[in-house]
Amino acid sequence: MLKITCPWCGPRDEPEFTYGGQSHVARPSFDVDDATWARYLFVRDNPKGIHFERWCHTYGCAQWFNVARDTVSHEVLAVYRMGEPKPELGA
Amino acid sequence: MASFQPDSHATPGLGLGAFRLAAGGRVDRAKVMNFRWDGRPLTACAGDTLASALLAHGERLVGRGFKFHRPRGILSAGAEEPNGLVAVGSGDRLDPSARATLVRVHEGLEARPQNCWPSVRFDVGRALDFVAPLWPAGFYNKTFIWPSWHAYEGLIRRTAGLGDALHGADPERYDVANATCELLVVGAGAAGLAAALLASRAGATVVLVEQDAEFGGHLLVESCAIDGLPAAQWLGRALAELAANPRVSLLPATTAFGLYDHGHVGLLERVAERTPTSPVRHRYWRVRARGLVLASGALEQPWVFERNDLPGVMLAGAVRTYAQRYAVAAGRRVVFATNNDSAYLAALDLARAGVAVPGLVDSRAEPPRELADLLQTAGVPVYGGAVIAAATGGSRLAAVEIAPLDGAGARLRLECDAVGMSAGWAPAVHLWSHARGRLAFDPERQCFLPVAGTAPLSVAGALAGAHTLSHCFASAARAVAAEASRAGFAVDVGGALPKVEEPRSSPRVDARRVSPGGRRHRQWLDFQHDVTLADVDLALREGFDAIEHLKRYTTTGMSVDQGKTSNLNALLVVAELTGRAPDAVGTTTFRPPYTPVTLGALAGRQVGEFYAPRRRLPAHAEHERLGAVFEEAGGWMRPAWYPRAGESKEQAIAREVLAVRASAGLFDASPLGKFEIEGPEAARFLDAFYINNVRTLEVGRTRYGLMLNENGVIIDDGTIARLGPQHFVITTTSGGAARIGAWLDDWRQCEWPDQDVVVTPVTTQWATVALAGPKAREILSRLGPDIDLSPAAFPHLHVRVGSLAGVPTRLYRVSFSGELGYEINVPARYGAALWRALEDAGREFGIAPYGTEALLLLRLEKGFLHVGLDTDGTTAPSDVGWGEIALKKQADYVGKRSLTRPENVRADRLQLVGLVGEDELLIPGTHLRLDGTTEGSDGWVTSAAFSPTLGKRVALALLRGGRARTGQTVTLFDLGRTGRAEVAPTPFYDPKGERLHG
């Protein structure tokens, strides 16, 4: 059970949150070719290390935000609001 | 020297047991309890475990081996017990596979052995042992393959397994609790206690967890002095100090079973073990600790010699524990065998208690001088450079054969009825490994130790490699210092540590743990799963030399005990046989739980009616009055049908359907998902979710809408109503309400955060009643609406806001039945009143309430799709007849781009069609095959029923390329039976849709 710090509510246990997959995935316009669209639909990062991902504090403020998490240690390296750029984590 | 309790003492006939020592121990001889073992009455003292009480009475035989059904006795005194798996209690309160070493005896306890028939003393399965060479590792995989595994499965399932599963619901109550602390200490032995004392003195909040019912660990058996006090007294003083500190929580009889992310630890507190009157049996603690000291100790490992599984062969530390803590002699003559110093102290304690110790056998050529002198002074011969070659006896131990390792001397036979063996200690690294901490092999101690700094916690005591109490205390101070800085509290560990007067000993463990020679299929590595050296030999011969492969091929360490007394031996044997270093062989993965966890405890109070909140409709009482049969759907208790006296389910549903077709029906649609979408960009926002054009929707009108995910798959449908230029209300399927609400909000927050729009879920704010049938308008008009209901003023697919009998209403003209229909929304508190009013108004027309079953049948007659039933995770709009509309819409919407992906334009997609036919196989789930195909499936029936309106069976189905197959016949097939059906156009009923415009 992870401990995640909601940028609005503070540290809370994982069951209060919903996971939303990789963050910063740009949605292409609908006139792109099939390959580009398929990449958007199906291809995601699967890093051993830092992963930028979306979480929603479903049973709290219901706000979506971003988390940078180490997929090996599960350490939460950064938490930032939706729309903010990826932080520099130097790793 | 006669130190045994005479049999005639205490309870007549039974006494406290023939093996109960006259003095010593921590049990209360004055409190004698009666219990039953395998149906026979026995006695125990307060403080006894089932194992200690059985041993006190000389009950050696506690179970049968898993594979060969050989007789087995108690091996250990703790959670690592592989043999003493017993069934405790009876009926629904049966606790299968409980470890006899952990079960506290209470008055009236009932326990019996497992894995034996008809009894543990005479077990028919024992015959398997006499053909043991025919049962090597991998036997199943090689033998039970012809004609197929399934031919044998039934028999094997009955023969295999330990204990009986329960069939009834668990009548016990469980609890779940959450806690946080600055320091969690796992294990309350010398190191754990010292860590808790240091941290609590620094003012930290401390939780101290001990799996035993008593705190103290090794201190409970230790006879040395600490700070000038006997160990037991020092322990009492330490516990009193901790108990008096309000910042310290003490949890005895509690197992830390798993260590998870970010300092989260799962604990199982066996509440009823300490407080038998407690209404709660177990409590599952979810602890979030800022600092964590693991002091979980070490588990002694058995020697591997011929017939080391005979009852009476035990771990040396366990023999010591039974004597010191429970005042029970493991035997009348106990031989010790060791490769390290620890067994000397056990032998010394036994000899001092007056038990005959015919000898201690040490594999090391030069036994430790000081300890050997102590033993010899107590009259115990020490045999250096020797091992037990074999144990002899029938179903219990009679003697051991001692062989010198240099092969020079002759074998020596020592009569004995118990052996205390020690092949070193395996630190209980399980929780450390849960945290992904690394391990390294320590050649001096011949075991794997945690590598400090590789996991976010600290270790202390035997787990950190300490072999004396002094070392335990020192390691605890180091661990607390490290955890204090992690948790953020200040602590001074520089003060004087407790001073211990203990014999000098070395941590060194001899590399030898297997006696040379002997029959390899009679030398046990894993007692619980009956794995011998011969099994390992075979696995290696067949190439299973990776430790994870070997584990699964031989099943070493895969039983209830998870290899607590077998993994290390197996690994070191493999290392030796393959000439690899133990580090190169590596360990298998330790996963939670450390010991089995009762599932009921994880569920806690969320069982039965508390499993999930049950939602009731605003008019629930009216449905009850009408005798509705309720079914749970999406958390709601919904009327499924309303049977009248003497009616079957089918009759009731048919009557409800016909009433709607002939006159009018009343349906509680309150669970429909409802969302208000408001703001300057409301139309633009909604337009991005539907294949239908939302921007062109006029105020006062509604439109059916299909919603897709980005893959172009249908995820929901409902109506879109425009109440004002910037105000929409949408409905979703009842089951999809929560999901679609979250879906809209996800896109609003993450993709279009700048759009000026507000989404408000109002599902439960409004009660919704569907009024359907040719008489619907007439009935509704009697409720005094301030809305003109005439067809010209209020046609199909329009919405009006007004009032009904003075109650605010949102009135929709929509239809899911194909008849003239209204959906009447009123504030939820008027739901029951609205229902009654419509019932009254409709009575003279023969209005009938109808449930979800009739609703589904009415829409099936119309061929309306039910998302999730007639569609699946691949269904696109073009598969259900909405392709043109979806492609025609110019603006982008979620899923639009995917509709032209190659996958979505294939001609052989599964598409929704109507089916008609009289075959009884025309039921949901039946598969379809096109003419010309002989294998595989070309689709399946999604909805089917006998239509009371049409007097024939109708169905919807997903069929390969179905939309081009109207008029063709297909084969129905189900479990070898076949039939025929015809692809028919939909709707089956009122194909021109004239009735809903009525």
Side-chain angles (χ1 to χ4, degrees):
Chain A
M1 184 166 67
L2 303 176
K3 184 163 71 179
I4 299 167
T5 303
C6 168
W8 308 96
C9 306
R12 296 288 191 279
D13 282 342
E14 185 179 342
E16 294 187 19
F17 298 89
T18 307
Y19 180 65
Q22 182 181 333
S23 194
H24 306 288
V25 177
R27 183 171 190 262
S29 66
F30 68 92
D31 51 9
V32 295
D33 61 22
D34 282 344
T36 306
W37 186 255
R39 263 199 305 281
Y40 158 68
L41 285 183
F42 306 122
V43 181
R44 293 291 182 271
D45 295 339
N46 185 19
K48 182 179 181 179
I50 301 172
H51 190 233
F52 297 91
E53 56 199 25
R54 303 188 314 137
W55 287 83
C56 181
H57 193 191
T58 306
Y59 299 102
C61 60
Q63 297 304 296
W64 283 93
F65 59 94
N66 295 302
V67 169
R69 183 177 60 95
D70 187 314
T71 58
V72 178
S73 67
H74 292 185
E75 190 185 349
V76 173
L77 302 161
V79 168
Y80 54 105
R81 294 175 189 182
M82 202 44 68
E84 290 180 358
K86 283 183 192 178
E88 291 291 329
L89 293 168
Chain B
M1 286 281 277
S3 60
F4 292 105
Q5 191 93 29
D7 258 12
S8 56
H9 201 67
T11 312
L14 282 172
L16 293 175
F19 288 80
R20 186 76 67 177
L21 296 166
R26 300 177 65 88
V27 291
D28 187 350
R29 287 176 175 75
K31 276 169 83 176
V32 178
M33 296 174 299
N34 299 291
F35 72 102
R36 295 181 85 81
W37 167 245
D38 210 5
R40 288 174 291 125
L42 287 176
T43 55
C45 301
D48 261 331
T49 62
L50 180 58
S52 68
L54 291 174
L55 287 170
H57 288 282
E59 290 285 342
R60 285 294 181 75
L61 197 52
V62 292
R64 290 275 173 173
F66 174 68
K67 206 158 109 182
F68 305 134
H69 290 245
R70 287 170 59 85
R72 289 284 161 76
I74 295 290
L75 178 81
S76 73
E80 66 272 33
E81 177 59 32
N83 294 337
L85 294 184
V86 298
V88 177
S90 59
D92 286 341
R93 288 177 198 272
L94 180 80
D95 193 6
S97 293
R99 274 132 300 173
T101 49
L102 297 184
V103 174
R104 295 267 137 190
V105 177
H106 57 78
E107 181 64 36
L109 178 103
E110 277 186 54
R112 56 184 171 78
Q114 300 182 152
N115 204 34
C116 51
W117 183 86
S119 78
V120 72
R121 292 183 184 180
F122 176 76
D123 176 17
V124 168
R126 178 68 204 277
L128 291 169
D129 186 34
F130 301 112
V131 289
L134 302 177
W135 286 80
F139 179 71
Y140 287 74
N141 320 40
K142 291 169 184 165
T143 309
F144 299 115
I145 50 174
W146 186 91
S148 112
W149 156 252
H150 300 289
Y152 304 96
E153 190 178 355
L155 175 70
I156 289 172
R157 294 255 182 262
R158 272 195 299 281
T159 323
L162 292 163
D164 298 317
L166 297 176
H167 296 287
D170 189 341
E172 301 280 1
R173 283 175 68 178
Y174 300 91
D175 209 357
V176 176
N178 297 294
T180 59
C181 61
E182 283 168 300
L183 187 70
L184 176 70
V185 181
V186 176
L193 283 167
L197 285 170
L198 285 168
S200 64
R201 284 170 190 165
T205 51
V206 176
V207 175
L208 178 60
V209 177
E210 169 56 49
Q211 80 181 353
D212 200 285
E214 265 193 290
F215 288 98
H218 204 61
L219 295 176
L220 296 171
V221 302
E222 198 50 72
S223 43
C224 65
I226 306 170
D227 283 342
L229 295 172
Q233 269 186 44
W234 185 89
L235 168 64
R237 203 178 63 174
L239 286 175
E241 180 185 333
L242 290 171
N245 187 331
R247 298 173 76 81
V248 176
S249 304
L250 298 177
L251 289 174
T254 303
T255 302
F257 61 79
L259 203 151
Y260 306 89
D261 292 309
H262 303 167
H264 173 227
V265 185
L267 312 178
L268 184 73
E269 181 188 8
R270 300 181 301 279
V271 186
E273 188 175 306
R274 270 199 303 154
T275 318
T277 53
S278 165
V280 170
R281 183 183 179 219
H282 292 166
R283 183 175 290 118
Y284 163 38
W285 287 90
R286 295 185 289 215
V287 180
R288 186 75 80 174
R290 296 171 70 158
L292 187 57
V293 171
L294 264 190
S296 45
L299 304 170
E300 199 165 32
Q301 300 297 300
W303 260 93
V304 184
F305 53 82
E306 193 171 316
R307 301 193 63 195
N308 59 341
D309 71 328
L310 268 182
V313 177
M314 299 169 68
L315 295 169
V319 170
R320 188 183 189 201
T321 298
Y322 287 115
Q324 297 290 89
R325 192 172 162 193
Y326 302 103
V328 171
R332 298 193 192 276
R333 291 172 60 83
V334 186
V335 171
F336 286 86
T338 188
N339 64 358
N340 66 89
D341 286 2
S342 67
Y344 282 79
L345 299 174
L348 197 58
D349 279 342
L350 265 277
R352 283 176 179 164
V355 180
V357 180
L360 180 144
V361 187
D362 192 332
S363 65
R364 298 170 296 182
E366 290 182 14
R369 186 171 302 268
E370 190 182 331
L371 290 166
D373 285 350
L374 278 171
L375 265 192
Q376 266 151 359
T377 309
V380 178
V382 173
Y383 301 94
V387 294
I388 293 181
T392 58
S395 63
R396 59 163 59 196
L397 183 64
V400 290
E401 282 180 26
I402 295 175
L405 281 170
D406 57 13
R411 283 195 173 198
L412 179 68
R413 181 183 159 91
L414 291 181
E415 307 272 325
C416 61
D417 58 353
V419 165
M421 59 182 170
S422 178
W425 297 76
V429 298
H430 305 71
L431 270 72
W432 173 262
S433 294
H434 296 174
R436 303 178 63 96
R438 277 186 26 228
L439 302 173
F441 189 72
D442 181 306
E444 186 182 26
R445 292 171 176 79
Q446 287 288 306
C447 64
F448 285 86
L449 286 175
V451 179
T454 58
L457 60 144
S458 297
V459 295
L463 173 59
H467 69 290
T468 65
L469 292 179
S470 312
H471 287 92
C472 284
F473 290 137
S475 69
R478 282 193 299 273
V480 169
E483 292 309 297
S485 67
R486 191 192 315 280
F489 64 89
V491 66
D492 176 19
V493 296
L497 294 168
K499 260 203 159 40
V500 191
E501 295 150 44
E502 54 191 332
R504 212 170 50 221
S505 65
S506 148
R508 198 178 77 79
V509 174
D510 190 18
R512 186 178 296 278
R513 54 187 59 237
V514 178
S515 298
R519 295 173 296 165
R520 299 194 50 100
H521 74 282
R522 301 278 91 169
Q523 288 175 266
W524 268 262
L525 280 172
D526 185 314
F527 298 113
Q528 200 165 84
H529 257 174
D530 261 333
V531 180
T532 64
L533 286 179
D535 295 316
V536 172
D537 293 343
L538 179 72
L540 292 178
R541 274 205 306 280
E542 298 191 351
F544 296 95
D545 55 354
I547 196 70
E548 295 280 9
H549 290 160
L550 184 117
K551 165 180 167 175
R552 283 155 184 82
Y553 195 60
T554 62
T555 74
T556 305
M558 287 176 67
S559 188
V560 184
D561 65 356
Q562 289 288 290
K564 292 183 176 65
T565 56
S566 63
N567 284 341
L568 183 62
N569 276 353
L571 189 156
L572 292 174
V573 164
V574 169
E576 195 180 328
L577 290 174
T578 58
R580 286 179 289 176
D583 272 322
V585 174
T587 59
T588 53
T589 309
F590 296 101
R591 295 188 183 87
Y594 176 63
T595 50
V597 175
T598 311
L599 286 176
L602 299 180
R605 298 184 182 191
Q606 258 180 294
V607 293
E609 60 179 313
F610 300 115
Y611 176 69
R614 198 163 278 172
R615 303 200 282 183
R616 293 202 158 81
L617 301 168
H620 185 81
E622 308 304 322
H623 304 311
E624 279 189 325
R625 172 176 56 78
L626 290 163
V629 173
F630 290 92
E631 280 182 359
E632 193 252 304
W636 291 96
M637 296 306 291
R638 305 195 67 173
W641 66 91
Y642 299 82
R644 289 181 182 166
E647 262 183 355
S648 70
K649 172 183 173 182
E650 287 69 27
Q651 288 167 334
I653 296 165
R655 174 182 48 73
E656 291 168 17
V657 167
L658 292 172
V660 173
R661 296 278 180 238
S663 169
L666 204 52
F667 176 76
D668 195 331
S670 299
L672 267 182
K674 298 175 268 290
F675 294 88
E676 309 242 0
I677 320 292
E678 292 168 281
E681 290 177 289
R684 180 184 163 204
F685 176 75
L686 270 187
D687 203 44
F689 291 99
Y690 287 102
I691 67 166
N692 320 78
N693 202 322
V694 178
R695 293 184 220 223
T696 58
L697 186 65
E698 291 166 29
V699 173
R701 297 196 65 143
T702 71
R703 182 169 286 169
Y704 175 74
L706 270 181
M707 227 181 243
L708 314 181
N709 64 17
E710 273 295 47
N711 297 311
V713 171
I714 297 168
I715 56 168
D716 207 71
D717 67 348
T719 56
I720 311 153
R722 191 165 203 167
L723 301 186
Q726 301 184 4
H727 187 188
F728 292 81
V729 178
I730 63 164
T731 63
T732 70
T733 56
S734 302
R739 182 169 44 85
I740 298 301
W743 172 252
L744 297 176
D745 217 40
D746 185 345
W747 286 91
R748 188 187 61 76
Q749 286 187 39
C750 301
E751 196 64 34
W752 304 304
D754 299 328
Q755 288 193 12
D756 195 353
V757 61
V758 173
V759 178
T760 314
V762 294
T763 300
T764 52
Q765 252 87 321
W766 297 88
T768 306
V769 176
L771 174 63
K775 302 292 181 193
R777 183 181 296 110
E778 212 169 332
I779 294 167
L780 185 58
S781 67
R782 300 196 176 189
L783 264 60
D786 61 357
I787 298 162
D788 183 353
L789 298 180
S790 66
F794 189 9
H796 185 53
L797 291 180
H798 281 63
V799 59
R800 295 289 179 264
V801 177
S803 69
L804 274 181
V807 174
T809 185
R810 286 174 177 172
L811 196 57
Y812 293 70
R813 248 202 87 179
V814 290
S815 176
F816 198 44
S817 61
E819 302 296 333
L820 164 66
Y822 298 92
E823 270 176 19
I824 310 159
N825 291 277
V826 293
R829 64 185 182 280
Y830 291 106
L834 172 67
W835 183 272
R836 283 193 301 269
L838 288 168
E839 240 188 302
D840 290 344
R843 190 158 289 125
E844 68 181 86
F845 301 96
I847 196 169
Y850 64 101
T852 50
E853 291 286 344
L855 176 86
L856 286 176
L857 221 166
L858 287 160
R859 67 93 206 173
L860 172 59
E861 291 175 339
K862 282 295 291 179
F864 292 154
L865 87 146
H866 183 16
V867 173
L869 187 67
D870 301 309
T871 68
D872 67 10
T874 67
T875 310
S878 58
D879 301 327
V880 296
W882 286 88
E884 272 180 48
I885 286 185
L887 289 173
K888 210 174 74 189
K889 180 169 166 180
Q890 292 299 306
D892 190 15
Y893 55 89
V894 175
K896 175 184 166 80
R897 176 63 185 83
S898 288
L899 299 181
T900 50
R901 289 183 59 236
E903 174 63 26
N904 267 330
V905 295
R906 273 173 35 198
D908 62 346
R909 290 179 59 82
L910 291 171
Q911 296 176 323
L912 194 68
V913 296
L915 286 183
V916 292
E918 291 312 307
D919 201 287
E920 61 175 18
L921 284 181
L922 196 55
I923 50 173
T926 293
H927 277 263
L928 310 174
R929 212 171 261 166
L930 297 168
D931 287 348
T933 35
T934 50
E935 54 185 30
S937 168
D938 292 312
W940 57 88
V941 179
T942 57
S943 301
F946 180 82
S947 160
T949 313
L950 304 167
K952 64 176 183 181
R953 203 183 280 262
V954 294
L956 293 175
L958 285 170
L959 176 66
R960 194 172 307 285
R963 298 190 59 79
R965 299 190 192 277
T966 306
Q968 295 183 11
T969 53
V970 293
T971 301
L972 306 165
F973 74 98
D974 178 61
L975 299 174
R977 296 182 301 155
T978 58
R980 301 288 285 176
E982 187 188 327
V983 180
T986 58
F988 302 108
Y989 174 72
D990 185 26
K992 290 185 181 157
E994 288 158 341
R995 297 181 67 88
L996 49 74
H997 289 286

